[in-house]
Amino acid sequence: MQVTEISADGLKREFTVTVPAGDLEQEITRRLDELGRQVRLPGFRPGKVPMQILRKRFGPSVRGEVLQSTLQASSAEAISERNLRPALPPKVDIVSASEGADLEYKMAVELLPEIPEPSFADLAVERLVVEVPDQDVDRAIERIAEQQRKSEVVERPAEMGDIVVVDVEGKIGEKEIAGAGGKDRQIVLGAGSSIPGFEDQLVGAAAGEHRTVQVTFPENYAGDLAGKEGLFTVEVKEVRERLPVALDDELGRAVGLESLAELRQEIRQQMQRDYDAASRLRLKRALLDKLAEGCDFAVPPGMVDMEFDNIWRQYQAQKASTPQDATIDAPSAAAEESGADPSPAAEPDGSGESEEASKAEFRKIAERRVRLGLLLAEVGRRNNITVTPDEVNQAITREARRHPGYERQVLDFYRQNPGAIDTLRAPIFEDKVIDFIVELAKIGERKITPEELLAMPEPAGEDAAPG
């Protein structure tokens, strides 16, 4: 095999590769001979089919297979011999592949850049620290208690705060309102209906009573009901008085725990996990922004094109499904190497911009995402950061739990589609790299209240790579 470099431009390399006809013929003959020991043809004993018959019968298909395997093997060998690190699979263009002649083709390959590893000790990032206030836990317990609140049937007309159990049907004119009807519906009087006046007209109703409720749907009501007159026929089946809320151990047991104290602890821990996750996300975005500021190496154009196409395709799909007067945020897209979920901050919203300007802005975002993805991948490679099989299995289990009733199907899907596992492995790898960098960086802490955290805008760094 002869390999000649014909072009070197930045990260792009082009080669001419020539495989001698003799090598091809030798491989074709070997495969035909192997096939001859297996194939059965009428008139010939097994393994005794003449080569000329095999060539006539199977030669074209075997030659095609040999050409394909030779292209793959020779291109891989050429790349390996030169210690090249391809960013994407090479592009091959056959120049000559006539029977009896040398195989000649051109190979274009884009290389991964040399990536300087930043000095993480110089990175200064702030971590927000939020502690769960007792009153937030109290309010959460009160909401749970309200949901678990019991009621009992009473033999009196309904009052505000009661529950009425009804069969109901709603119409506008002669047309039934979709979704408005139902049997044994429970309506809490005073809970606040989206249709003003509906609940008020049920106050004073008793079990067994028939009521007709007339309403006017608000002008801002969803769908085509806005501003229209509606008529509801209501058969009251029960009036139930809600019992006082009890904040005791029975409330804890009602939600599967041992006591009220355990419920309080569970709520506090969940809140703390949520605040910690929000804080980590902001720390991560800030860290990635710092990394992006400090790295400016060239990136493979092909990877940028792929990332841009992904962003633009999602953006166009979102644009097509969004009302014309709504703001469109550019969709997230995974960085090529890290599988990250970057959420750009000042991304074009598509309004008042030409398509060319939007594409130019999105291309900048795509380039940055690729650069950050490559940087994180290189940090992981140099520091032997890997994702273990146990971590992947835990991720699959978590994914299965997100689909109650379909756990087996989810597990089977990942078992039958190994490539899909990469979508789970990539964010795990990314988080481990981020954790590695955080350990080396200068991390300052600032205590804030939950209200201050929630009032902050959603974290986004123009296209912070991983998410």
Side-chain angles (χ1 to χ4, degrees):
M1 179 180 72
Q2 180 180 350
V3 181
T4 305
E5 184 175 307
I6 58 176
S7 176
D9 180 17
L11 297 175
K12 294 182 178 181
R13 300 289 186 274
E14 288 190 17
F15 302 90
T16 296
V17 181
T18 303
V19 180
D23 293 353
L24 294 174
E25 179 58 30
Q26 183 178 350
E27 181 63 15
I28 292 172
T29 300
R30 186 190 69 79
R31 293 203 185 185
L32 284 172
D33 185 61
E34 185 179 80
L35 183 62
R37 292 194 295 270
Q38 302 170 356
V39 72
R40 293 180 179 273
L41 293 179
F44 298 98
R45 287 179 297 167
K48 298 299 182 179
V49 181
M51 180 59 69
Q52 62 267 29
I53 300 295
L54 292 171
R55 283 188 180 276
K56 185 176 181 180
R57 187 77 175 268
F58 304 107
S61 61
V62 169
R63 187 172 187 277
E65 293 173 4
V66 168
L67 285 176
Q68 184 63 36
S69 62
T70 301
L71 286 172
Q72 294 175 350
S74 59
S75 59
E77 183 181 346
I79 289 171
S80 177
E81 286 179 348
R82 286 154 182 77
N83 295 318
L84 303 179
R85 296 177 60 206
L88 298 168
K91 295 180 179 179
V92 171
D93 182 18
I94 296 177
V95 176
S96 174
S98 302
E99 189 169 356
D102 294 345
L103 169 63
E104 182 180 349
Y105 65 91
K106 290 183 178 179
M107 179 178 68
V109 61
E110 290 186 7
L111 307 179
L112 291 172
E114 291 296 325
I115 303 174
E117 187 165 332
S119 173
F120 300 129
D122 296 333
L123 289 176
V125 186
E126 181 180 68
R127 177 189 281 119
L128 303 176
V129 179
V130 180
E131 295 181 356
V132 180
D134 290 340
Q135 57 266 34
D136 286 4
V137 178
D138 292 340
R139 283 194 290 267
I141 289 177
E142 289 169 3
R143 287 193 295 270
I144 293 174
E146 188 65 31
Q147 294 167 1
Q148 298 293 325
R149 192 171 180 179
K150 293 180 173 59
S151 64
E152 62 182 12
V153 177
V154 292
E155 300 296 331
R156 60 167 173 77
E159 301 173 356
M160 276 296 180
D162 286 343
I163 298 172
V164 289
V165 182
V166 302
D167 293 343
V168 61
E169 182 182 63
K171 292 184 177 181
I172 292 181
E174 296 300 318
K175 183 179 179 181
E176 187 173 339
I177 302 173
K183 300 287 187 181
D184 296 324
R185 289 204 168 183
Q186 295 193 12
I187 301 173
V188 181
L189 302 185
S193 170
S194 59
I195 310 172
F198 183 89
E199 293 172 11
D200 295 341
Q201 297 180 59
L202 295 179
V203 173
E209 185 176 342
H210 170 89
R211 287 219 171 179
T212 300
V213 177
Q214 291 182 309
V215 298
T216 300
F217 288 92
E219 293 295 336
N220 62 348
Y221 200 85
D224 59 357
L225 301 179
K228 294 183 179 180
E229 301 289 330
L231 183 67
F232 291 82
T233 56
V234 181
E235 297 289 342
V236 181
K237 302 174 77 172
E238 282 184 355
V239 176
R240 304 186 67 90
E241 181 179 37
R242 294 195 296 167
L243 301 178
V245 174
L247 301 180
D248 53 21
D249 288 343
E250 184 61 33
L251 177 61
R253 288 189 284 271
V255 294
L257 301 174
E258 293 296 326
S259 64
L260 180 63
E262 188 175 343
L263 173 60
R264 179 179 294 276
Q265 181 183 20
E266 185 71 22
I267 291 173
R268 182 182 296 278
Q269 290 175 346
Q270 181 58 57
M271 285 184 168
Q272 192 64 63
R273 285 193 294 269
D274 291 343
Y275 291 143
D276 289 347
S279 174
R280 174 182 166 77
L281 181 58
R282 285 169 170 80
L283 171 68
K284 183 177 180 179
R285 301 293 188 185
L287 184 68
L288 290 167
D289 281 344
K290 292 281 188 180
L291 291 173
E293 291 171 5
C295 63
D296 191 27
F297 52 84
V299 293
M303 294 184 71
V304 176
D305 290 342
M306 290 175 60
E307 182 67 14
F308 168 78
D309 289 343
N310 187 32
I311 297 172
W312 187 253
R313 183 170 55 253
Q314 294 183 49
Y315 170 68
Q316 289 293 88
Q318 185 179 356
K319 186 177 180 181
S321 63
T322 304
Q324 199 163 4
D325 57 348
T327 299
I328 304 172
D329 294 325
S332 298
E336 286 298 324
E337 289 293 319
S338 65
D341 178 20
S343 298
E347 295 188 352
D349 62 10
S351 58
E353 287 190 347
S354 68
E355 184 172 294
E356 292 74 16
S358 294
K359 284 185 174 181
E361 195 64 28
F362 279 125
R363 186 164 289 280
K364 291 180 182 178
I365 292 167
E367 181 176 331
R368 188 176 177 209
R369 287 183 177 175
V370 170
R371 184 174 288 112
L372 278 170
L374 290 174
L375 175 62
L376 293 182
E378 185 66 10
V379 171
R381 186 183 70 86
R382 291 178 180 176
N383 295 282
N384 299 315
I385 298 173
T386 59
V387 178
T388 66
D390 283 346
E391 289 170 330
V392 172
N393 290 334
Q394 290 170 16
I396 293 175
T397 301
R398 287 194 298 270
E399 188 66 20
R401 288 174 179 166
R402 291 181 57 244
H403 301 82
Y406 297 91
E407 292 88 349
R408 175 53 55 188
Q409 290 92 323
V410 172
L411 295 175
D412 289 343
F413 170 77
Y414 285 107
R415 189 177 296 113
Q416 297 165 11
N417 298 274
I421 294 178
D422 289 340
T423 63
L424 301 178
R425 181 185 288 108
I428 299 172
F429 171 79
E430 175 195 296
D431 278 340
K432 294 181 76 170
V433 174
I434 292 294
D435 289 340
F436 172 80
I437 297 174
V438 167
E439 287 295 320
L440 301 177
K442 297 177 182 177
I443 306 297
E445 293 190 349
R446 176 164 65 95
K447 289 187 176 182
I448 62 172
T449 65
E451 292 75 20
E452 290 173 323
L453 178 67
L454 297 175
M456 292 180 174
E458 282 299 312
E462 189 193 31
D463 79 2

